[in-house]
Amino acid sequence: MIELLDKRIALIRTESIRTFTSTLVHAVPELTWRNPTSVYYHAPEEQGEWGNLVHTVKVDRLCTILSDMSKLSIEDADVLHSAAILHDSCKRGIEGKGLKADPAHPYLVRRFAESRSFTCPYAEEIFSIIERHMGRWGAKPAYFTTNDGISLSY
């Protein structure tokens, strides 16, 4: 099943982004992709075995449509594709063993990559998109709050 992600990764034209994305996809435990993406909030086909992989492929297909419609540069489109493919790669924690989605999972992708020294020139842009993908429903990291307690996030 991972080959479905490999086919999506092959569409990334910027070599450094393609390599970075592939390296991360293959570094996370297979269980990450085998798990359901959720049991309540996603389409039925995303709620069973390999649901997170199915969800990821669907998100990346949508990003293809959006990047084509927006006429993004090759690099910007590839950053978007990488973020789409990686956005839930730590959904159930870095080891993929959590019973539920980790509320901080958008921030775990950066930690996972950095702990293994995986990087590319576009890594910051990719992480930035991933860290915002949950919008107002996502966890708010401490650095998003000012000293007076005002949230700078959504």
Side-chain angles (χ1 to χ4, degrees):
M1 290 290 285
I2 300 294
E3 56 275 359
L4 293 174
L5 289 179
D6 289 331
K7 288 179 182 179
R8 301 305 303 173
I9 293 166
L11 300 174
I12 297 174
R13 295 164 285 184
T14 307
E15 184 177 349
S16 63
I17 299 173
R18 185 175 56 250
T19 300
F20 176 74
T21 307
S22 180
T23 300
L24 272 167
V25 162
H26 290 279
V28 298
E30 182 182 284
L31 187 58
T32 294
W33 308 112
R34 185 182 288 272
N35 278 326
T37 197
S38 75
V39 292
Y40 302 111
Y41 305 110
H42 292 81
E45 65 273 14
E46 299 171 15
Q47 294 178 16
E49 186 175 24
W50 295 103
N52 199 39
L53 184 136
V54 171
H55 169 72
T56 298
V57 168
K58 288 169 63 176
V59 168
D60 189 53
R61 286 180 179 158
L62 178 60
C63 286
T64 297
I65 294 166
L66 294 173
S67 64
D68 288 349
M69 288 174 56
S70 302
K71 301 188 185 326
L72 295 178
S73 70
I74 289 172
E75 292 82 6
D76 286 346
D78 289 347
V79 163
L80 183 61
H81 287 295
S82 179
I85 292 167
L86 298 172
H87 82 282
D88 278 347
S89 61
C90 292
K91 186 166 195 151
R92 295 187 185 245
I94 290 176
E95 299 300 321
K97 295 179 182 177
L99 297 177
K100 293 183 179 180
D102 187 319
H105 74 273
Y107 306 96
L108 296 179
V109 180
R110 178 191 298 266
R111 284 185 31 206
F112 181 81
E114 290 175 350
S115 72
R116 286 153 179 81
S117 300
F118 299 157
T119 192
C120 82
Y122 301 91
E124 187 56 40
E125 292 173 74
I126 294 165
F127 295 140
S128 179
I129 293 169
I130 293 169
E131 290 168 355
R132 289 174 172 77
H133 90 267
M134 298 274 301
R136 63 184 173 147
W137 296 277
K140 307 296 188 265
Y143 62 85
F144 273 24
T145 304
T146 63
N147 289 335
D148 58 4
I150 299 171
S151 174
L152 300 177
S153 59
Y154 306 93

